[in-house]
Amino acid sequence: MESSGEEWMVADPNGPGPRPTLEAVAALAGVSRATVSRVVNGGAGVRAAVRERVHEAVAALGYVPNSAARSLVTRRTGAVAVVIAEPEARVFSDPFFGRQLRGISRELAAADTQLLLMLVERPADYERIGRYLSAGHVDGALMFSLHRDDPLPAMAERAGLPTVYGGRPGWAGADRAPRPLYVDTDNRDGARQAVRHLLGRGRRRIAVITGPLDQTSAEDRLDGYRDALGTPEPDPRLIADGGFTAQGGERAMGRLLDAVPDLDAVFVCSDLMASGALRTLRARGRRVPDEVAVVGYDDLEPAAWADPPLTTVRQDVEEMGQLMARLLLRLLDPRKPAGVDGAEGAGGPHGADGATGGERGPGAGPAELAPVITKARLVVRESA
């Protein structure tokens, strides 16, 4: 049954004046107002030929639904919150975030869904974000760059908000059922590839510059470093935290050289930190890769621009953003195909359901969705 309070309006391209209503579209298409409402709201039960006539009338009138009225009918806002648990300076200086946002934005735009960006500049922002998420302003949320003690997942859970995370969950309670949906790369294997490459080149004093170890990506890359060296407790002097920033990488490289002057290689857990590490090595007169070989992680623009060009571990950051958005859209509308084939399930080399090697059909519901892990791949350039 159609809502009697529903109003639909369009902006007149010729300037001020009467705006066509839903009835105007119905009259032009030769159908009832209820039929037009079902078509514009994506409802079922309308023949293809009739649906086409309605779409033609909508286009001819330049018709745009009133979003507030449409929300009353569909119980949807048409918007998704993208929450990055980092301050503005970090987000807009690191190409990783721009690339991931690009993938998210493209996927949401293709689904006619708006993106609302929210950043955490200071602790007080958590309360503001929590109020907004629980007030029904968005249909779902995408959250990434979370830290171990981050309150954002609990806020989303309390609000009952469909949420997909970027990165393996590491917060308290993340292992409870139902498990959180997330998209990540195989950080541990990527790190193993990097360090094994250095070992294969004859390097023996291999240091590592990590990100903050309260983030699972940094933790997993450090574990991969340990795996490749074959020891759970490498020399602590060879480990330094660079905070996933260029300045942090620069300072960490200096600390490593001071502590272990004869190191002959360094695995840097992001390209941005590697750019800082290369700057320190140049300032200290260390030739790369002759004296110190360097491998980064991400394969974003700074890797190709580096001097020398940076050997790095490639993760498809834009694709990861797209997969996050697709999973969330699938949660919001189970009738649509998942669109996450071609990646691996969390349990290994599986399809997107994480349980079988095949792709899911369009009938799969949200209960069948599972975390998605993408592959990492070493890209060899001149720095190692």
Side-chain angles (χ1 to χ4, degrees):
M1 183 173 180
E2 297 299 320
S3 170
S4 60
E6 181 186 5
E7 294 292 339
W8 301 97
M9 309 178 81
V10 299
D12 185 349
N14 297 318
R19 295 179 175 183
T21 62
L22 196 68
E23 287 80 359
V25 177
L28 184 59
V31 298
S32 70
R33 182 183 186 279
T35 297
V36 174
S37 181
R38 282 199 297 274
V39 171
V40 297
N41 285 316
V46 181
R47 296 195 312 275
V50 174
R51 188 178 297 274
E52 181 62 27
R53 288 211 312 274
V54 172
H55 285 314
E56 289 174 356
V58 165
L61 291 173
Y63 173 82
V64 178
N66 178 289
S67 59
R70 188 171 192 174
S71 294
L72 290 174
V73 176
T74 64
R75 301 289 190 261
R76 294 275 293 274
T77 67
V80 163
V82 177
V83 186
I84 307 177
E86 300 290 351
E88 178 182 290
R90 169 91 196 280
V91 171
F92 292 112
S93 64
D94 189 336
F96 174 91
F97 295 108
R99 187 67 71 86
Q100 192 152 23
L101 283 169
R102 183 179 180 182
I104 291 170
S105 177
R106 285 185 170 181
E107 202 66 29
L108 293 180
D112 195 23
T113 300
Q114 302 305 309
L115 182 158
L116 175 73
L117 181 62
M118 309 186 81
L119 307 179
V120 178
E121 193 70 32
R122 57 189 65 84
D125 289 334
Y126 285 110
E127 183 181 352
R128 172 182 58 84
I129 292 171
R131 287 197 310 269
Y132 194 90
L133 295 181
S134 63
H137 297 301
V138 293
D139 298 323
L142 299 169
M143 297 183 177
F144 55 97
S145 203
L146 300 180
H147 298 258
R148 185 172 294 120
D149 59 352
D150 211 302
L152 288 168
M155 291 177 177
E157 185 176 357
R158 285 196 300 270
L161 193 67
T163 304
V164 174
Y165 299 94
R168 179 176 65 82
W171 58 85
D175 54 350
R176 297 195 312 264
R179 58 179 173 170
L181 273 179
Y182 68 90
V183 174
D184 203 355
T185 191
D186 192 342
N187 289 292
R188 191 163 183 162
D189 183 63
R192 285 194 292 259
Q193 292 180 51
V195 178
R196 286 170 180 166
H197 172 78
L198 292 169
L199 290 168
R201 295 294 176 94
R203 309 293 173 154
R204 291 297 176 263
R205 299 281 280 168
I206 303 173
V208 60
I209 297 178
T210 75
L213 293 177
D214 66 345
Q215 292 187 300
T216 55
S217 59
E219 182 182 22
D220 290 346
R221 291 172 199 179
L222 179 58
D223 285 342
Y225 165 81
R226 294 187 179 112
D227 292 344
L229 292 182
T231 174
E233 298 296 337
D235 186 342
R237 298 176 303 158
L238 290 169
I239 302 173
D241 181 355
F244 280 145
T245 69
Q247 296 83 356
E250 186 176 8
R251 291 190 294 267
M253 190 72 249
R255 293 195 299 272
L256 290 170
L257 291 172
D258 291 341
V260 189
D262 63 338
L263 67 83
D264 59 4
V266 58
F267 165 48
V268 191
C269 293
S270 80
D271 292 346
L272 198 60
M273 291 194 298
S275 68
L278 288 171
R279 183 174 180 178
T280 294
L281 289 168
R282 283 194 298 270
R284 298 285 187 98
R286 300 294 184 95
R287 290 173 297 146
V288 177
D290 299 348
E291 296 177 83
V292 180
V294 180
V295 177
Y297 203 110
D298 286 332
D299 197 25
L300 300 176
E301 286 81 358
W305 298 341
D307 182 20
L310 185 66
T311 291
T312 187
V313 178
R314 175 175 175 76
Q315 58 173 343
D316 194 331
V317 178
E318 187 170 333
E319 181 195 39
M320 289 164 65
Q322 289 178 309
L323 290 171
M324 286 176 63
R326 288 178 193 172
L327 278 174
L328 182 59
L329 292 169
R330 184 81 164 99
L331 272 177
L332 297 175
D333 189 352
R335 297 171 300 175
K336 293 183 178 179
V340 291
D341 54 288
E344 294 185 359
H350 305 304
D353 58 8
T356 67
E359 300 175 8
R360 290 171 309 185
E368 296 172 274
L369 295 177
V372 177
I373 306 297
T374 64
K375 293 181 179 179
R377 176 175 60 86
L378 186 71
V379 179
V380 179
R381 297 193 178 99
E382 296 173 23
S383 69

